[in-house]
């Protein structure tokens, strides 16, 4: 049986690999749910998470004040029982009232003091990769044990869009064990309590008996997340019953999985937008020239790649998707035009093309992302951009795309990239990370290879603009400039991901965030 919440495309048909017939799911001895993941998180600290894949672990243990609903259509109060937005002399004040019945995994109650401690960690650039998200809050004032106020120096509409960007962390426990102890044995308020982690293999959690949300909680005792990056291994483990649930069903096998007896599948938009970024910020790089970037944009047939490499499991987008703020029907994808691409290269002074490093993510963070990158780089070779392909596992890829400091860039060519626009989607947050000029120590542009002051100013304006219509106009202008100058990457597609689970063994409901559908918020053993 197939479930496809917010399905964006039909599954393609191709099953070329044979596996032994399934022998049925593993017997439940201790109500354990075992799941296979295609990509491995790099850490478990919500202050230090690098990219969305880290949410696969973090989302089991930690929670925010707000959260998208299961269908992604609205933001729900979560750890916040309620919140209000007021202002004083044009400066916003967000008052948050915490739920009174929330406890951490060590039994400590969640209080406003814990949230203040979490805010202090999140805003500290020496600890946090996301300090810029707290940059407009000038003070955190505690009113009582469960109530606090966030005082902003100026409006920042993206703060609410990002679910009131505070992760609940226990002050007393952190001060007891220190940063290293907390990273090794994290404690949150989420439905699952940390037990152990083995790098390259996976992590184990147990259900938190004191979990506050009785309506949305696991009905199981133990959760084992296994890291199986190879499709063949993940599929074999699922078919043999070694795992109850798996992510990233191979695109060529979706129809086969849909027809398996006792198996249910769900196909979901991942929340990520994929693109190919270029080193437009490095002095002497060919990609400083706008014409070279435009040549890259015209040099690959993205529609053909989606059809043949992704089996149709991707939605083309131009800067932003149609259901997203900043979308305009005036922007259309670059057409595939190799002759025009060659002319642009010649005009830029490269009639014979040039060689460059092409960095490709090979971990299955999204289905067939490795093959997609290989196809894109192969297309570029036909217009004269000769790629030295460098395949990178996720942790190494992060180090290449993340800005280390001025003059310390590692990404000196083209790289396959992605950035979450979340659900409901909004470009303000991702553009602050991969389009805004890099500002060391301030968080902005820490994945950016662009340097455009006009865009930086517009990004600051959209954060301050509380009127949705006026903000949409600003975002449309950013999208236009971004598109014309091919900054922040050549946009390609939004992927779909298919999950599968043994429905005669477990029942599972996916949530879009946090965890990008990998959160075991609502799961039960039958």
């Amino acid at each position: 049986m197939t479930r496809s919440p917010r399905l964006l495309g039909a599954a393609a048909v191709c099953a070329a690999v044979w596996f032994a017939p399934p022998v049925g799911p593993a017997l439940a001895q201790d109500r354990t749910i075992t799941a296979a993941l295609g990509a491995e998180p790099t850490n478990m600290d919500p202050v230090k998470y690098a990219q969305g894949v880290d949410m696969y672990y973090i989302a089991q243990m930690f929670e925010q004040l707000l959260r998208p609903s299961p269908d992604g259509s609205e933001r729900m109060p979560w750890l916040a029982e309620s919140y209000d937005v007021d202002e004083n002399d044009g400066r916003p004040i967000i008052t948050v009232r915490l739920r009174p019945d929330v406890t951490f995994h060590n039994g400590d109650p969640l209080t406003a003091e814990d949230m203040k401690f979490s805010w202090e960690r999140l805003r500290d650039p020496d600890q946090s990769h996301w300090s810029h998200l707290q940059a407009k809050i000038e003070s955190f004032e505690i009113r009582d044990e469960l109530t606090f106020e966030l005082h902003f120096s100026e409006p920042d509409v993206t703060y609410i869009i990002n679910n009131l960007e505070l992760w609940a962390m226990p002050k007393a426990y952190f001060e007891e064990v220190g940063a290293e102890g907390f990273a090794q044995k994290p404690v949150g308020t989420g439905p699952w309590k940390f037990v152990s982690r083995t790098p390259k293999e996976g992590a184990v959690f147990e259900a938190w008996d004191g979990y506050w949300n009785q309506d949305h909680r696991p009905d199981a005792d133990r959760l084992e997340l296994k890291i199986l990056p190879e499709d063949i291994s993940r599929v074999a483990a699922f078919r043999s019953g070694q795992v109850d649930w798996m992510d990233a069903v191979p695109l060529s096998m979706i129809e086969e999985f849909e027809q398996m007896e006792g198996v249910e599948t769900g196909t979901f938009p991942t929340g990520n937008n994929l693109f190919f970024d270029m080193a437009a910020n490095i002095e002497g790089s060919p990609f400083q020239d706008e014409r070279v970037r435009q040549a890259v944009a015209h040099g690959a047939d993205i529609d053909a790649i989606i059809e043949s490499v992704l089996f149709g499991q991707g939605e083309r987008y131009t800067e932003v998707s149609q259901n997203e703020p900043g979308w305009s029907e005036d922007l259309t994808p670059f057409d595939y035009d190799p002759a025009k691409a060659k002319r642009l290269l010649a005009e830029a002074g490269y009639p014979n093309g040039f060689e460059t490093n092409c960095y490709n993510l090979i971990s299955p963070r999204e289905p067939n992302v490795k093959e997609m990158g290989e196809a894109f780089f192969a297309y570029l070779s036909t217009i004269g951009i000769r790629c030295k392909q460098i395949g990178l596992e996720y942790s190494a890829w992060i180090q290449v795309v993340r800005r280390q400091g001025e003059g310390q860039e590692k990404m000196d060519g083209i790289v396959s990239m992605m950035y979450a626009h979340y659900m409901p989607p909004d470009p303000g947050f991702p553009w602050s990370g991969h389009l805004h000029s890099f500002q060391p120590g301030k968080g902005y542009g820490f994945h950016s290879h662009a340097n455009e002051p006009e865009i930086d100013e517009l990004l600051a304006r959209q954060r301050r603009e509380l009127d949705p219509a006026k903000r949409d106009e600003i975002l449309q202008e950013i999208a236009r400039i971004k598109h014309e100058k091919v900054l922040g990457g050549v946009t390609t597609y939004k992927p779909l991901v298919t999950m599968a689970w043994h429905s005669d063994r477990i029942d599972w409901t996916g949530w879009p965030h946090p965890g990008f559908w990998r959160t075991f918020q609502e799961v039960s053993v039958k």
Side-chain angles (χ1 to χ4, degrees):
M1 183 168 60
T2 303
R3 269 196 323 206
S4 300
R6 296 175 64 86
L7 181 63
L8 302 182
V13 182
C14 180
V17 182
W18 181 88
F19 291 95
V23 298
L27 295 176
Q29 296 181 348
D30 57 351
R31 292 169 48 80
T32 294
I33 292 171
T34 305
L37 300 174
E40 182 180 23
T42 61
N43 71 78
M44 300 184 293
D45 185 342
V47 165
K48 298 183 180 298
Y49 77 92
Q51 284 285 345
V53 71
D54 291 338
M55 286 294 130
Y56 297 0
Y57 287 170
I58 290 171
Q60 317 304 335
M61 302 177 285
F62 292 95
E63 299 179 303
Q64 294 177 290
L65 297 169
L66 306 181
R67 184 174 183 179
S69 59
D71 65 0
S73 63
E74 61 178 334
R75 291 178 181 86
M76 308 163 52
W78 201 249
L79 293 181
E81 184 175 63
S82 63
Y83 73 97
D84 297 301
V85 182
D86 298 305
E87 66 173 54
N88 182 18
D89 293 331
R91 297 183 176 188
I93 301 172
I94 298 180
T95 302
V96 177
R97 173 74 179 176
L98 295 171
R99 296 185 185 276
D101 52 352
V102 180
T103 57
F104 289 103
H105 299 151
N106 64 349
D108 291 347
L110 171 66
T111 68
E113 191 67 43
D114 295 303
M115 296 308 302
K116 183 176 183 180
F117 166 76
S118 300
W119 171 71
E120 290 171 343
R121 285 200 74 211
L122 288 160
R123 71 192 291 261
D124 181 358
D126 292 334
Q127 299 185 64
S128 173
H129 294 315
W130 308 94
S131 59
H132 60 294
L133 299 180
Q134 312 296 330
K136 304 306 177 186
I137 300 176
E138 58 184 4
S139 67
F140 186 116
E141 298 187 12
I142 296 175
R143 290 303 178 205
D144 59 43
E145 189 176 45
L146 294 176
T147 309
F148 61 88
E149 294 177 352
L150 303 172
H151 291 253
F152 289 74
S153 59
E154 62 182 47
D156 184 0
V157 69
T158 59
Y159 205 79
I160 294 178
I161 289 171
N162 288 330
N163 305 308
L164 301 180
E165 187 67 38
L166 292 175
W167 294 91
M169 291 173 277
K171 178 182 179 181
Y173 174 76
F174 186 95
E175 291 176 343
E176 175 187 344
V177 301
E180 185 175 346
F182 185 77
Q184 293 178 353
K185 192 174 182 180
V187 166
T189 64
W192 294 98
K193 180 179 178 180
F194 177 78
V195 175
S196 64
R197 178 192 179 191
T198 303
K200 303 294 184 182
E201 294 184 15
V204 178
F205 307 86
E206 63 182 26
W208 170 224
D209 291 338
Y211 187 55
W212 63 273
N213 195 327
Q214 295 297 313
D215 294 330
H216 302 285
R217 63 175 302 150
D219 182 17
D221 297 332
R222 185 177 175 92
L223 173 65
E224 296 182 1
L225 299 181
K226 295 183 178 295
I227 307 303
L228 297 174
E230 296 295 332
D231 285 350
I232 191 170
S233 300
R234 207 163 57 258
V235 170
F238 184 82
R239 290 181 64 96
S240 67
Q242 296 176 49
V243 300
D244 306 301
W245 182 101
M246 66 171 282
D247 72 352
V249 172
L251 300 181
S252 63
M253 300 185 70
I254 290 176
E255 183 170 278
E256 181 180 343
F257 268 71
E258 290 175 344
Q259 295 174 356
M260 288 181 183
E261 237 181 280
V263 170
E264 191 166 349
T265 64
T267 298
F268 307 89
T270 70
N272 257 334
N273 287 26
L274 273 64
F275 54 95
F276 286 88
D277 209 353
M278 293 165 277
N281 61 300
I282 295 182
E283 191 68 33
S285 167
F287 302 108
Q288 277 196 308
D289 194 309
E290 182 178 316
R291 293 166 295 186
V292 173
R293 301 195 299 271
Q294 291 172 343
V296 172
H298 286 291
D301 191 339
I302 302 301
D303 291 326
I305 294 175
I306 291 173
E307 184 61 30
S308 61
V309 177
L310 303 178
F311 296 85
Q313 295 293 288
E315 181 187 73
R316 191 83 186 268
Y317 78 102
T318 308
E319 312 312 329
V320 293
S321 56
Q322 189 167 347
N323 61 339
E324 191 169 2
W327 180 81
S328 169
E329 61 183 6
D330 296 334
L331 292 185
T332 57
F334 287 96
D335 58 317
Y336 174 51
D337 191 338
K340 183 175 182 178
K342 291 177 181 178
R343 288 198 302 272
L344 286 165
L345 288 177
E347 291 172 8
Y350 302 97
N352 299 315
F354 57 89
E355 294 183 355
T356 187
N357 288 330
C358 294
Y359 300 95
N360 194 29
L361 174 62
I362 62 176
S363 297
R365 172 62 178 90
E366 299 291 1
N368 285 21
V369 68
K370 170 180 176 288
E371 293 78 8
M372 198 278 181
E374 291 170 345
F376 185 88
F377 296 142
Y379 268 109
L380 295 189
S381 68
T382 67
I383 64 170
I385 298 179
R386 297 177 293 280
C387 279
K388 177 185 177 184
Q389 289 200 39
I390 303 171
L392 300 171
E393 296 288 351
Y394 190 86
S395 58
W397 173 79
I398 283 291
Q399 295 305 315
V400 167
V401 299
R402 181 186 295 153
R403 298 292 298 275
Q404 309 297 320
E406 292 294 352
Q408 300 179 40
E409 295 85 354
K410 294 183 180 181
M411 208 295 284
D412 54 3
I414 307 176
V415 63
S416 59
M417 273 283 287
M418 62 188 70
Y419 221 114
H421 284 223
Y422 296 113
M423 292 178 62
D426 189 280
F429 166 63
W431 284 352
S432 293
H434 77 82
L435 180 60
H436 195 290
S437 300
F438 179 54
Q439 293 185 353
K442 296 185 178 180
Y444 294 112
F446 75 124
H447 283 156
S448 173
H449 307 99
N451 188 3
E452 181 58 57
E454 181 182 8
I455 286 180
D456 293 349
E457 174 56 31
L458 288 169
L459 284 170
R461 283 179 54 197
Q462 65 86 26
R463 287 194 300 272
R464 295 191 296 265
E465 183 53 69
L466 300 180
D467 184 299
K470 292 180 180 178
R471 180 172 181 262
D472 191 63
E473 291 177 0
I474 299 171
L475 292 172
Q476 287 185 26
E477 179 65 8
I478 296 171
R480 182 191 64 78
I481 298 170
K482 180 182 185 301
H483 189 64
E484 290 177 354
K485 297 188 175 184
V486 197
L487 289 170
V490 177
T491 57
T492 56
Y493 71 102
K494 299 172 64 175
L496 300 172
V497 63
T498 297
M499 316 301 191
W501 58 99
H502 288 287
S503 55
D504 52 358
R505 156 75 172 136
I506 67 170
D507 190 28
W508 172 80
T509 297
W511 287 61
H513 183 76
F516 301 96
W517 308 105
R518 278 85 168 177
T519 307
F520 291 84
Q521 181 74 44
E522 288 187 77
V523 64
S524 60
V525 175
K526 292 184 177 180

